[in-house]
Amino acid sequence: HVSAIVSAAVSGDRRWLVTAESLPEIFLIVWDTYTGQPVKYFNGSDQSGIIRVVITADGKSIAFLTDRPDQKVVVWRWMTND
């Protein structure tokens, strides 16, 4: 990350860690905790800042809440890139 991490979450099996920075744009990194290496990146340059990130217990989907004025929840199926 180049900016401060504003939120982080870990999957139920502790295999996947997702970290999020918010400014100047949303940027998420999914980490493989077994290797310590990043495995996937999400750049939400069309989104407003991020407030919170969560990952499902099975680690297959990530959701994040964007900041005002147009708050919304974005769901990312990162393993299939949907």
Side-chain angles (χ1 to χ4, degrees):
H1 289 281
V2 296
S3 298
I5 294 172
V6 296
S7 187
V10 65
S11 61
D13 63 2
R14 298 185 180 162
R15 172 73 192 264
W16 309 109
L17 170 70
V18 59
T19 55
E21 66 181 69
S22 186
L23 298 173
E25 59 192 29
I26 291 175
F27 191 69
L28 305 176
I29 301 176
V30 179
W31 302 84
D32 182 332
T33 63
Y34 294 176
T35 65
Q37 298 297 311
V39 294
K40 201 77 149 186
Y41 302 91
F42 177 88
N43 182 342
S45 58
D46 61 330
Q47 307 292 331
S48 58
I50 192 168
I51 295 174
R52 173 97 191 249
V53 65
V54 294
I55 188 168
T56 55
D58 64 7
K60 293 181 180 179
S61 296
I62 292 167
F64 59 91
L65 175 64
T66 63
D67 205 352
R68 292 182 211 100
D70 300 321
Q71 278 188 310
K72 60 184 160 181
V73 174
V74 177
V75 178
W76 177 36
R77 291 180 198 96
W78 71 274
M79 289 186 174
T80 59
N81 218 24
D82 292 335

